[in-house]
């Protein structure tokens, strides 16, 4: 079985500056640390590196660093950080990114932006430039921003969009689980109505504080399946962010393996092709050969 991890983070705070790292995340997570967390029983494993949000002026340096360690880390594609609302500056940044063969898409973190930001003309201009280059867009948003992502998809229908982390729904904790809200499920279905939008089965462990039960997360995976169908879902580990046990403030070894097993067993129970969810859909979306 071949696995493509569609959402891998790597960073080294001794080489680049990150103003959001704290606690057990505030240390090096790079190729050596990742290799120690490789999945068991998988004959071939590769990954898509997704920008880890260094300070804005170092976004291009992050791509250089990720590209340099791509081979030992098994990274076959890079989703680079880029501000899409800066007009000419955005175009220059995208042109610089184009010199890296592994760059297949960009992510401008929307989760901290004000309402309506992704529908502003400056952002839409940047989104159209991303599409013109044949790249994709990773949408990392809060649950209450799903409608805005749907509106973005309608405004730029030629732009392939993938929703990170199912839109970060509230799922509660392992001891006090929450059911999917009807508002989130409705917004997810509305987003899934746009055929160029995919969804990553990622990030739910982080939303649960790093400790979860299969019974807790399965209703959310079912909602994603109902909204997007089996050919537009892709597994992502969100490592190492989703490998932190928040209650104990530690990095939990083997949690990446456990999330893989959680999604694999769910897919098998639903009669979904594991090759689609764990490989083909990511390869298709990111146009990885």
């Amino acid at each position: 079985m071949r696995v493509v991890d569609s959402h891998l983070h790597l960073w080294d705070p001794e080489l680049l500056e990150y103003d959001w790292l704290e606690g057990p995340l505030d240390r090096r997570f790079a190729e050596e640390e990742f290799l120690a967390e490789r999945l068991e029983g998988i004959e071939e494993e590769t990954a898509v590196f997704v920008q880890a949000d260094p300070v804005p002026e170092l976004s291009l340096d992050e791509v250089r660093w990720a590209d340099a360690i791509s081979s030992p880390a098994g990274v076959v594609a890079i989703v680079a950080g880029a501000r899409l609302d800066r007009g000419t500056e955005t175009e220059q940044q995208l042109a610089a990114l184009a010199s890296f063969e592994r760059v297949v898409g960009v992510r401008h973190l929307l989760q901290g932006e004000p309402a309506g930001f992704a529908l502003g003309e400056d952002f839409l201009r940047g989104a159209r430039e991303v599409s013109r280059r044949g790249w994709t867009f990773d949408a990392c948003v809060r649950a209450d921003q799903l409608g805005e992502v749907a509106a973005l998809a309608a405004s730029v229908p030629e732009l392939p969009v993938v929703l990170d982390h199912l839109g970060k729904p509230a799922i509660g904790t392992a001891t006090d689980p929450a059911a999917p809200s009807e508002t989130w499920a409705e917004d997810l279905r509305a987003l899934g109505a746009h055929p160029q939008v995919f969804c990553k089965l990622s990030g739910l462990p982080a939303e649960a504080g790093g400790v979860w039960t299969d019974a807790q997360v399965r209703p959310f995976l079912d909602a994603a399946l109902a909204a997007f169908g089996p050919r537009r879902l892709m597994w992502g580990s969100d490592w190492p962010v989703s490998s932190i046990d928040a209650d104990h403030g530690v990095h939990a070894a083997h949690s990446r393996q456990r999330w893989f097993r959680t999604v694999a067993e769910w897919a098998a129970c639903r009669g979904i092709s594991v090759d689609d969810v764990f490989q083909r859909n990511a390869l298709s979306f990111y146009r990885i050969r």
Side-chain angles (χ1 to χ4, degrees):
M1 179 182 181
R2 181 185 180 190
V3 171
V4 179
D5 184 343
S6 71
H7 204 95
L8 173 71
H9 297 299
L10 301 169
W11 59 73
D12 187 343
E14 293 188 3
L15 297 178
L16 299 170
E17 181 182 352
Y18 306 82
D19 57 15
W20 64 276
L21 293 180
E22 61 182 7
L25 288 176
D26 192 10
R27 66 178 179 86
R28 184 179 191 267
F29 287 96
E31 70 276 25
E32 295 171 359
E33 291 78 9
F34 175 58
L35 290 174
E37 294 286 333
R38 302 285 276 187
L39 301 173
E40 299 174 0
I42 301 301
E43 61 185 73
E44 183 180 357
E45 181 182 350
T46 55
V48 177
F49 169 86
V50 178
Q51 62 95 214
D53 204 29
V55 295
E57 60 268 25
L58 297 181
S59 59
L60 191 60
D61 291 316
E62 179 188 41
V63 174
R64 290 193 187 96
W65 175 74
D67 193 56
I69 66 170
S70 286
S71 292
V75 169
V76 294
I78 293 173
V79 175
R83 295 284 313 190
L84 298 187
D85 61 328
R86 301 292 173 84
T88 300
E89 182 181 329
T90 292
E91 293 176 1
Q92 292 172 345
Q93 185 177 17
L94 297 180
L97 292 173
S99 65
F100 296 91
E101 185 177 344
R102 287 187 178 88
V103 170
V104 295
V106 302
R107 184 168 80 158
H108 176 143
L109 278 173
L110 294 176
Q111 62 184 6
E113 300 290 4
F117 179 86
L119 303 180
E121 189 49 46
D122 288 339
F123 186 91
L124 291 175
R125 174 183 170 184
R128 294 187 184 102
E129 180 63 18
V130 171
S131 173
R132 188 187 71 79
R133 291 183 175 276
W135 291 345
T136 63
F137 179 71
D138 265 59
C140 185
V141 296
R142 304 182 308 272
D144 62 1
Q145 294 174 297
L146 290 176
E148 191 165 324
V149 180
L152 170 64
S155 297
V156 193
E158 66 276 14
L159 177 66
V161 175
V162 62
L163 177 67
D164 293 348
H165 315 325
L166 291 84
K168 296 191 170 184
I171 71 171
T173 65
T175 55
D176 186 20
S181 76
E182 187 55 38
T183 298
W184 170 79
E186 288 179 359
D187 288 346
L188 200 69
R189 289 193 293 271
L191 181 57
H194 297 274
Q196 83 275 27
V197 182
F198 284 54
C199 180
K200 290 185 180 180
L201 305 180
S202 62
L204 294 188
E207 298 306 306
V211 180
W212 74 94
T213 68
D214 289 1
Q216 175 189 10
V217 301
R218 282 191 172 193
F220 294 89
L221 301 177
D222 286 340
L225 176 61
F228 293 92
R231 299 303 300 272
R232 289 189 288 149
L233 300 176
M234 61 184 83
W235 178 78
S237 70
D238 189 34
W239 188 88
V241 178
S242 280
S243 296
I244 299 302
D245 181 338
D247 286 342
H248 298 92
V250 297
H251 173 256
H254 311 302
S255 59
R256 182 172 181 266
Q257 177 77 37
R258 176 148 184 266
W259 179 239
F260 170 82
R261 187 182 70 247
T262 291
V263 177
E265 291 179 354
W266 166 80
C269 287
R270 298 296 182 263
I272 303 169
S273 167
V274 293
D275 284 336
D276 284 346
V277 172
F278 287 98
Q279 177 195 167
R280 294 194 191 104
N281 296 345
L283 293 175
S284 172
F285 177 79
Y286 285 117
R287 301 171 188 175
I288 302 169
R289 296 177 181 176

